[in-house]
Amino acid sequence: MFDLNKVVRPNVLKMSAYSSARSEFSGVASVWLDANENPFTKEWNRYPDPLQLDLKKQIAPLKKIEANQIFIGNGSDEAIDLLVRGFCRPQQDYILQCSPTYGVYQVSAAIQDIEVKDIPLTEDFQLNLPAVLEEVKEPNCKVTFICSPNNPTGNCIAADDIKKVLSVASGLVVVDEAYIDFAQEADSFSNWLNKYPNLVVLQTLSKAWGLAAVRFGMAFAPSPIIDILNKIKPPYNIPGPSQKVIAEALKNKALVKTEIASIIAERAFIVDALKQLKRVEVVYPTDANFILVKLKDPRDTYNALANQGIIVRDRSKVVNGCLRISVGTRKENELLIAALQAIDE
Ligand SMILES: *Cc1c(COP(=O)(O)O)cnc(C)c1O
């Protein structure tokens, strides 16, 4: 059924990766005269490991997968861009997305002159399964993006539906799990890498891990797909300082766990308070660190909050009447709620 060699772009299949100095020799040595670096020792005068092997060894046991099933990107946005560029031929192939969803999929496609087919989510923000199953069989439907928990709606997509899509898709199915750490009931699709040869799972350290500035995203996939991403990525895509910060942060899983628990508790606090407000029409169920809320007057509410220095995301053009509110600290959340109560009449 799924044949990777037919899905990847033919030119990408044929090409060889740029062979950097650090990829030609990576053993132990004392004199490095291979990369035109400044030899005077400063902390950052050497190029970083192009394949970030130490980090992958740290991540593999955390995620219970093999190091060769991990690609590390400059944010998961880089992985999204590489998936589109590596698999879709401009003006011939297309990606599939289910709106409302994360905006980067369609921007990455637009840059490459690749069409976006959109099969909107149903009213309860789930896949329109019959339509999606039909579409993903098309040989030119190269990459299907399913975001779960979905941004901006906040809910998880039914896992059984995603599995059905994986079983019939002729191309890649990318499950974007940027917010999986906030979903208490959901298991990562990274558990299914050995079952589905066309599965790619995206995760990031930008949300739950609190490292958005470091730019560190991961794609988990069967190793033949990872090999393709490695072949087309910029040679040194993860800066040395970032690799160092990540290696330290990954050792402190306990801290992240307490922060996640606190964000989940704060989320419930905001949801309860929002439900008391007259201007609120719907508070959608959320498995993420943000809340989608439908208001009678989203733009006025946005402006009133902004006037008090509180910035939320106006998604009313994407989901009718809706603002998206990230969960903050207790103090920030109290300021938000107080500001909303003050204008609620
Ligand atoms: C924030 C976000 C990302 C991007 O994460 P980076 O790793 O910071 O690039 C990817 N997907 C979704 C759905 C997001 O909301």
Side-chain angles (χ1 to χ4, degrees):
M1 268 261 320
F2 174 77
D3 181 352
L4 184 62
N5 290 342
K6 292 211 177 97
V7 178
V8 66
R9 278 171 77 178
N11 59 308
V12 169
L13 189 64
K14 263 192 275 155
M15 64 173 267
S16 9
Y18 171 70
S19 182
S20 67
R22 281 304 111 86
S23 54
E24 284 185 1
F25 182 88
S26 58
V28 180
S30 52
V31 182
W32 295 92
L33 302 177
D34 60 345
N36 303 344
E37 297 148 333
N38 177 332
F40 300 104
T41 308
K42 306 176 192 92
E43 192 173 7
W44 304 115
N45 64 323
R46 299 293 178 189
Y47 279 101
D49 175 4
L51 289 172
Q52 311 97 19
L53 294 176
D54 287 343
L55 283 178
K56 288 175 185 169
K57 276 186 218 145
Q58 244 183 308
I59 294 166
L62 288 177
K63 302 293 173 187
K64 303 190 182 66
I65 57 177
E66 304 296 325
N68 67 7
Q69 296 175 314
I70 304 172
F71 168 82
I72 299 178
N74 196 289
S76 34
D77 288 348
E78 180 173 50
I80 293 167
D81 178 62
L82 292 175
L83 286 162
V84 172
R85 281 198 284 149
F87 290 84
C88 302
R89 291 165 297 178
Q91 301 182 349
Q92 283 187 62
D93 298 322
Y94 58 91
I95 68 161
L96 176 63
Q97 69 167 23
C98 300
S99 66
T101 193
Y102 188 47
V104 168
Y105 314 138
Q106 64 183 49
V107 170
S108 290
I111 295 169
Q112 295 303 312
D113 204 3
I114 287 155
E115 189 194 341
V116 180
K117 288 222 177 157
D118 188 12
I119 299 181
L121 295 172
T122 59
E123 226 157 83
D124 55 351
F125 300 143
Q126 290 295 324
L127 297 181
N128 175 346
L129 195 59
V132 171
L133 291 180
E134 214 31 60
E135 191 64 60
V136 296
K137 288 179 193 153
E138 293 296 325
N140 289 359
C141 180
K142 290 293 183 71
V143 188
T144 296
F145 287 99
I146 299 176
C147 187
S148 180
N150 184 40
N151 180 5
T153 59
N155 63 299
C156 286
I157 303 298
D160 285 343
D161 288 359
I162 300 178
K163 286 178 194 165
K164 285 180 191 142
V165 176
L166 278 159
S167 341
V168 302
S170 66
L172 301 182
V173 177
V174 180
V175 183
D176 186 341
E177 297 184 337
Y179 300 97
I180 188 78
D181 301 288
F182 304 105
Q184 289 160 300
E185 323 266 274
D187 290 323
S188 171
F189 264 78
S190 58
N191 297 325
W192 298 98
L193 292 182
N194 297 329
K195 167 142 195 210
Y196 299 107
N198 54 345
L199 169 63
V200 181
V201 178
L202 300 180
Q203 291 188 6
T204 175
L205 299 190
S206 298
K207 307 284 159 59
W209 283 80
L211 293 166
V214 172
R215 308 307 304 131
F216 191 92
M218 296 164 283
F220 308 133
S223 62
I225 297 176
I226 298 298
D227 293 344
I228 289 164
L229 296 177
N230 283 334
K231 184 155 124 175
I232 63 175
K233 79 185 184 72
Y236 301 107
N237 59 328
I238 308 295
S242 294
Q243 295 195 38
K244 187 175 171 182
V245 170
I246 300 297
E248 279 312 305
L250 288 172
K251 291 180 196 154
N252 208 346
K253 222 182 147 187
L255 172 68
V256 175
K257 257 183 117 173
T258 21
E259 287 176 356
I260 292 169
S262 147
I263 290 166
I264 289 173
E266 286 302 312
R267 178 175 81 191
F269 167 76
I270 302 175
V271 167
D272 285 346
L274 288 175
K275 284 182 174 167
Q276 315 295 322
L277 298 173
K278 291 191 205 82
R279 63 178 52 217
V280 167
E281 289 183 343
V282 189
V283 183
Y284 291 98
T286 174
D287 272 315
N289 64 337
F290 57 81
I291 299 150
L292 188 74
V293 54
K294 187 171 185 188
L295 295 137
K296 292 198 185 89
D297 43 12
R299 197 62 211 171
D300 291 349
T301 308
Y302 176 90
N303 288 333
L305 289 172
N307 283 339
Q308 302 204 39
I310 300 170
I311 310 303
V312 299
R313 191 93 144 103
D314 182 0
R315 297 276 79 187
S316 57
K317 298 222 170 62
V318 187
V319 199
N320 189 19
C322 285
L323 299 182
R324 193 194 69 190
I325 303 175
S326 303
V327 178
T329 61
R330 171 47 66 105
K331 189 157 176 237
E332 291 168 335
N333 302 334
E334 279 172 352
L335 287 169
L336 165 83
I337 296 302
L340 285 171
Q341 284 165 346
I343 54 167
D344 202 44
E345 71 281 328

